[in-house]
Amino acid sequence: MKFADRVSVGQMKETGEGYLVATARVARTGVQHYLASELGDIAIKAGFKPNDVVRVLRSPEQVFHKDSLQTITRLPVTIDHPAEHVNAENWARISVGEVGDAYATEPEWIVVNPMIKDSGGVKAAKTTHREVSMGYTAEIVEYADKAVADFEQQTIRYNHLALVARGRAGEQARIGDSWGASPVVDYDPGNTPNNPRRS
């Protein structure tokens, strides 16, 4: 299943060549809220209705798993999420830069250093597209402890880092729909939201 999570781009600086280098927290642990309809059959089979809000856990064990972290570097940077996976056939057409070959981990975050090389991408990052959103795939499984979450993401594999605009409808606007499921509500990392009720 394809996912997109939005965060601020973080610190930026311009090089002498006009490239833009950023430090960005791009992936976090914790519980996020999604519509059941975005998770497909697994949510319906678990008894949720399409418009129910479900809680999806991104555990530290999954977010910081070595196989997942191996996919966080050298990713292409795009403007908005492309409709398809970024790969060797399309990267030259849609990439405006790349994530570096190093990353850092904080208690709840993965931090990377993307470089935006395309002039259009640099302009977008400075003006209309000041947030970033990871495009990744993950397996969704039911979570055993329903007091914590309804589902869990496993086998997280990153594909690209998109420069995105703030949602036009404000803080709670959902973006990334062209890529996949996007959280209905964002919140400060480390703060688990109140458990929603099933209808």
Side-chain angles (χ1 to χ4, degrees), residues 35-70:
L35 289 179
S37 60
E38 291 189 301
L39 301 187
D41 290 343
I42 190 168
I44 304 305
K45 288 177 182 176
F48 290 97
K49 297 176 182 174
N51 288 328
D52 285 346
V53 175
V54 298
R55 300 159 301 152
V56 180
L57 175 66
R58 288 172 52 87
S59 70
E61 294 77 16
Q62 293 297 325
V63 172
F64 301 132
H65 193 284
K66 64 179 181 63
D67 293 338
S68 176
L69 290 175
Q70 286 178 350

Side-chain angles (χ1 to χ4, degrees), residues 6 35 37-38 167 169-177 180-185:
R6 185 189 76 205
L35 289 179
S37 60
E38 291 189 301
E171 289 288 333
Q172 295 184 357
R174 291 170 56 240
I175 63 169
D177 291 332
S182 183
V184 175
V185 178

Side-chain angles (χ1 to χ4, degrees), residues 92-178:
R93 174 172 47 88
I94 58 181
S95 176
V96 296
E98 70 176 5
V99 171
D101 59 4
Y103 63 86
T105 59
E106 297 178 352
E108 297 170 325
W109 290 93
I110 300 173
V111 182
V112 298
N113 297 108
M115 177 180 279
I116 303 157
K117 296 183 175 181
D118 175 79
S119 61
V122 169
K123 181 178 179 181
K126 289 181 174 180
T127 57
T128 59
H129 288 62
R130 296 184 57 85
E131 295 186 353
V132 291
S133 176
M134 292 302 307
Y136 62 97
T137 60
E139 180 184 359
I140 299 297
V141 299
E142 284 200 60
Y143 193 63
D145 187 352
K146 300 303 185 198
V148 175
D150 303 300
F151 302 97
E152 181 183 20
Q153 289 184 356
Q154 296 183 354
T155 320
I156 299 167
R157 299 294 183 266
Y158 299 100
N159 177 260
H160 64 275
L161 178 64
L163 302 175
V164 295
R166 265 188 110 61
R168 295 180 184 179
E171 289 288 333
Q172 295 184 357
R174 291 170 56 240
I175 63 169
D177 291 332
S178 63

